[in-house]
Amino acid sequence: MNAVRKVVKTIFPPPRVAPDGRAEWPSRTPYVLASMGGAMGFGNLLRFPSQVFNNNGIQWFIPYLMAICLLAIPVLILEVAIGQAYRSGCVIGFNGLDRKFTGVGFGMVCVGYAVAIYYIPILSWVMVYFRNSFQGASSFPWNDNPEQYFYQVVNRVLPQEAAYSEDGSSVLSYAKYTGTDVSGELIGWTLFSWFVVWLCLWKGISITARVVYITIVLPIILTVVLVGRGASLPNAGRGIKLYFGEFNADQLGKGQIWQAATSQVFYSTGVGFGYYTAYASYNSKFADAVQDAMMICSANAAFESFAAFAVFGVVGFLGLQPGVESVDTYSLGFFTLPTAIAEMPGAPFWAVLFFLTLFLLGISSSFALLDAMITTICDTHWGRKYSHATVATVITVISALMSLFYCSEFGYHATNTVDAGISNVALIFVVWAECVCSTSFYRYVDVVGQVGAPAFWTYQCAYIGAMIIGNAIAHGASDKVGAGVGFAVYIVGTLVSIFIAKEPSSRAPSFWGRNKYMNRIWWVGFYAGNQLKRDLNYVVCVGKQWRIPVYWAPTLRYFAAPVLSIIFCFAYPKFYPERGDPLTIFGFAVGHLIVFFVLVGFIIPKSMNVFVPPERRDEGNRQYAPQTILGKDDTNITSGVMPGQEEEAGLSPAASTDGAEKKI
């Protein structure tokens, strides 16, 4: 036994430990690879080509790149910087920003964990195909009817459909799922996949830092081989032209391509799942967070854009045409590509290669999703009593048992409905809450002390209310009317807020401070995000490292949040026609349960105390110190407070001076 332990310790030596006692990545490379692994998955090799095919042409990259630059990268910078600054997972990290944000961090952990529960059983489908790929090309079981074989693999039994009234206003009878048996093979491959995930997690980053060289580097190499083969197929150039050789400007005037591109970027990059913050917490506190975030996002976009050449080579080979055929994730991944592979010379080799690549990409995403929950538990005061291996083992076993639910005859439907509930409701709301909380309520005591509580809350209610009211009217009446009313609510609320605000005693920077009205606008509309940028820059952006740019916070607040609110509201019209399906209701309820956690954490911060160690709970209790960078001068924390300002904020000078402002 001692010999085995020595071998394991030699192969997976203990991680480097920082002065604060937290484990650290051995170098920057495994951290970046692990973060890329969370992003790189089925969405790169299957979903991206499907979306591009349905919106063919190089014009796709206009909304796609805009979504990356204006949505994915800003949110990713926030998640990475928080993980590094607070040296902890999502819950403690967001608690450090403000006690009210603890629920946002917990919501992110729940999103990633819920996805892992149904995502890993999908790997069992891949492994069934992988097992059958070793047969001769003429014996592939999917040759005759790939669609029928796929539904046989996933063990699907059709339910009895729900019945609705003629006008669709009421449900006459709910759908019934009569199939309750489970597939032994799916259970076996699901447990095998969980075992592989556990191997990647049980020793923490000491093993994760090494397995990423297999789970990331090998799929990249295999993808390069697949691209070479796909591009060399007969008529492959015809498919590649559909991808990169046409410009259909008229599609840019349609909402479909913008919604599809935003959805793909959001799905592919993986923001909001919690693992970026968890991984960044094992980074050096002074690692280049901004550069890392941009590198991860750019690498993910480059990988899926390159991998698409393999798929479009097959599209040209099969003669598929947009507008004639429409493909989705499953039809492309499990119907179209296996059929094309069967017609290639050396088909078994290419089939094995393709499904092995899919499996490795899925594994890299799976252990990233689960790691956010493990990090959260290990960071708690009660989780510290146990080793990382123990926590990882217990969570993996419990999760594996829960995931067997998706191996039943109704498991395929459950996978789709829970995925819809998480993706369309919980994930969108959590990231929207990230953007709004961090740029609207961060250090709000400073704003209240400067302009008064009525002005502050009037502006915030107008800002959030505009999104709620505008979207509600857009779906209930007209999108143009909704947009107009939304802007009107925001403009009126802003004007009222400006006129009822007190005159700030601390002047805003740059041109914002030249006029008293502009000064007030800056305090209610830009102070929180600007101060968060300054605080994070001071801690995680030192020396020659890339600094968080000045437009970062306004982008999160005034572009990302409104766009996400629009996407979030699409979930309800989609749910209504399917409300007679119990599994659809279940998926919708799971999504809203996570929304509930976020809201409860904001309203009752103490409800999340179980996930925050006692010694760190006060980090988010901000004292009044307007325009003071946290941690820069603890002995003079009120350097930004003007004479008499303490009384304006309802604080005594002593209370202001003795405030327990923590270094980030």
Side-chain angles (χ1 to χ4, degrees):
M1 182 61 69
N2 289 333
V4 174
R5 290 176 180 172
K6 289 181 180 179
V7 171
V8 172
K9 190 173 182 179
T10 301
I11 299 175
F12 306 111
R16 186 175 63 191
V17 179
D20 62 0
R22 191 172 185 82
E24 286 190 345
W25 295 98
S27 67
R28 187 183 191 185
T29 300
Y31 158 68
V32 173
L33 288 178
S35 298
M36 287 173 56
M40 291 166 55
F42 294 152
N44 297 104
L45 201 57
L46 300 181
R47 195 177 192 276
F48 178 80
S50 302
Q51 296 295 328
V52 179
F53 179 84
N54 294 328
N55 300 275
N56 72 293
I58 198 172
Q59 78 285 339
W60 158 268
F61 287 92
I62 295 177
Y64 174 73
L65 293 175
M66 287 181 63
I68 288 176
C69 295
L70 298 176
L71 180 61
I73 291 179
V75 175
L76 186 54
I77 290 174
L78 174 66
E79 295 184 3
V80 172
I82 289 175
Q84 282 185 205
Y86 289 94
R87 306 282 289 161
S88 59
C90 302
V91 179
I92 298 177
F94 276 88
N95 172 79
L97 292 186
D98 194 283
R99 289 282 285 137
K100 293 180 176 295
F101 304 168
T102 312
V104 177
F106 184 65
M108 293 169 65
V109 174
C110 290
V111 166
Y113 184 69
V115 170
I117 298 299
Y118 71 79
Y119 188 88
I120 293 178
I122 295 177
L123 298 179
S124 66
W125 310 348
V126 176
M127 292 307 293
V128 173
Y129 277 84
F130 177 77
R131 176 180 64 81
N132 285 291
S133 298
F134 289 92
Q135 305 178 26
S138 59
S139 303
F140 285 156
W142 59 79
N143 282 347
D144 295 334
N145 191 328
E147 183 174 357
Q148 180 180 353
Y149 177 72
F150 170 73
Y151 291 130
Q152 178 184 335
V153 168
V154 302
N155 196 30
R156 186 187 78 160
V157 173
L158 290 173
Q160 297 178 9
E161 297 291 338
Y164 301 90
S165 60
E166 291 186 5
D167 60 358
S169 61
S170 61
V171 180
L172 301 179
S173 64
Y174 288 89
K176 296 181 180 179
Y177 289 86
T178 56
T180 57
D181 291 341
V182 294
S183 167
E185 183 173 17
L186 289 185
I187 289 178
W189 284 122
T190 297
L191 295 178
F192 169 77
S193 301
W194 276 106
F195 175 71
V196 175
V197 170
W198 174 78
L199 287 177
C200 299
L201 290 171
W202 73 290
K203 292 291 287 183
I205 62 173
S206 62
I207 188 171
T208 304
R210 284 156 179 78
V211 299
V212 291
Y213 287 99
I214 298 175
T215 60
I216 298 301
V217 176
L218 183 56
I220 291 175
I221 295 173
L222 297 179
T223 300
V224 172
V225 176
L226 288 172
V227 168
R229 180 54 183 150
S232 65
L233 290 171
N235 299 317
R238 181 170 53 189
I240 293 174
K241 183 180 179 181
L242 291 174
Y243 175 44
F244 219 76
E246 295 182 359
F247 183 79
N248 302 309
D250 58 311
Q251 291 194 21
L252 294 174
K254 303 175 182 178
Q256 175 187 345
I257 191 172
W258 294 90
Q259 183 180 356
T262 303
S263 174
Q264 171 59 31
V265 168
F266 205 77
Y267 182 92
S268 177
T269 54
V271 294
F273 289 103
Y275 53 78
Y276 287 123
T277 303
Y279 281 161
S281 71
Y282 299 112
N283 246 351
S284 165
K285 190 172 184 178
F286 305 105
D288 200 330
V290 177
Q291 190 179 85
D292 286 343
M294 296 187 70
M295 186 187 307
I296 293 166
C297 245
S298 301
N300 177 69
F303 175 76
E304 65 183 6
S305 299
F306 174 74
F309 281 99
V311 177
F312 276 91
V314 175
V315 167
F317 173 67
L318 295 177
L320 302 178
Q321 287 293 325
V324 179
E325 295 94 356
S326 179
V327 299
D328 57 32
T329 301
Y330 294 132
S331 67
L332 186 64
F334 294 99
F335 305 166
T336 307
L337 293 178
T339 301
I341 289 172
E343 299 182 28
M344 297 180 184
F349 172 77
W350 297 109
V352 169
L353 194 68
F354 174 71
F355 290 112
L356 176 62
T357 303
L358 276 184
F359 180 75
L360 290 175
L361 287 173
I363 286 295
S364 67
S365 295
S366 299
F367 68 73
L369 291 168
L370 199 63
D371 195 59
M373 177 62 77
I374 294 174
T375 299
T376 298
I377 300 300
C378 289
D379 283 346
T380 62
H381 64 285
W382 46 274
R384 294 173 185 170
K385 300 176 183 178
Y386 308 98
S387 67
H388 188 283
T390 301
V391 174
T393 301
V394 171
I395 291 180
T396 301
V397 170
I398 294 174
S399 305
L401 294 176
M402 292 172 60
S403 71
L404 298 183
F405 171 80
Y406 296 99
C407 297
S408 63
E409 291 178 331
F410 57 81
Y412 175 73
H413 298 280
T415 300
N416 289 326
T417 56
V418 175
D419 177 73
I422 297 296
S423 302
N424 298 337
V425 177
L427 178 60
I428 303 297
F429 182 84
V430 164
V431 181
W432 176 85
E434 282 186 73
C435 298
V436 172
C437 288
S438 61
T439 59
S440 300
F441 298 100
Y442 179 68
R443 295 183 62 171
Y444 71 96
V445 292
D446 296 345
V447 184
V448 171
Q450 287 290 306
V451 298
F456 171 77
W457 287 109
T458 298
Y459 184 87
Q460 308 313 324
C461 290
Y463 166 69
I464 297 175
M467 289 184 270
I468 297 174
I469 296 172
N471 283 304
I473 294 177
H475 285 283
S478 165
D479 53 352
K480 294 181 179 178
V481 174
V485 172
F487 276 113
V489 169
Y490 173 70
I491 293 172
V492 171
T494 301
L495 293 175
V496 172
S497 174
I498 293 171
F499 284 108
I500 66 174
K502 298 188 302 182
E503 186 62 30
S505 55
S506 180
R507 191 159 297 280
S510 188
F511 75 95
W512 291 102
R514 299 175 184 175
N515 178 284
K516 68 177 182 178
Y517 297 111
M518 297 296 289
N519 195 25
R520 296 173 184 176
I521 290 177
W522 182 81
W523 274 101
V524 296
F526 295 95
Y527 173 78
N530 182 71
Q531 198 60 42
L532 177 60
K533 178 207 67 162
R534 295 179 67 205
D535 291 343
L536 290 176
N537 271 337
Y538 177 73
V539 176
V540 301
C541 304
V542 297
K544 296 182 179 179
Q545 295 175 354
W546 292 10
R547 299 181 65 79
I548 300 175
V550 67
Y551 53 82
W552 170 73
T555 300
L556 284 176
R557 186 171 192 182
Y558 296 109
F559 177 82
V563 168
L564 291 171
S565 71
I566 294 172
I567 297 174
F568 176 79
C569 290
F570 285 138
Y572 294 92
K574 289 181 180 179
F575 168 76
Y576 187 76
E578 301 175 0
R579 67 193 186 282
D581 187 335
L583 287 180
T584 299
I585 297 173
F586 172 70
F588 211 59
V590 170
H592 281 81
L593 180 63
I594 297 175
V595 171
F596 174 77
F597 289 149
V598 175
L599 295 176
V600 168
F602 187 87
I603 299 171
I604 314 174
K606 290 184 179 180
S607 62
M608 297 292 166
N609 279 354
V610 66
F611 299 107
V612 184
E615 69 272 14
R616 302 198 65 175
R617 289 173 187 168
D618 288 334
E619 289 183 2
N621 291 329
R622 297 298 178 204
Q623 302 299 317
Y624 183 61
Q627 300 204 56
T628 300
I629 298 177
L630 299 187
K632 189 172 184 179
D633 188 358
D634 289 335
T635 62
N636 190 25
I637 195 64
T638 59
S639 59
V641 183
M642 304 298 289
Q645 216 167 1
E646 299 90 345
E647 295 181 1
E648 294 177 11
L651 299 171
S652 66
S656 179
T657 303
D658 296 336
E661 286 291 353
K662 305 290 185 180
K663 288 185 179 181
I664 294 183

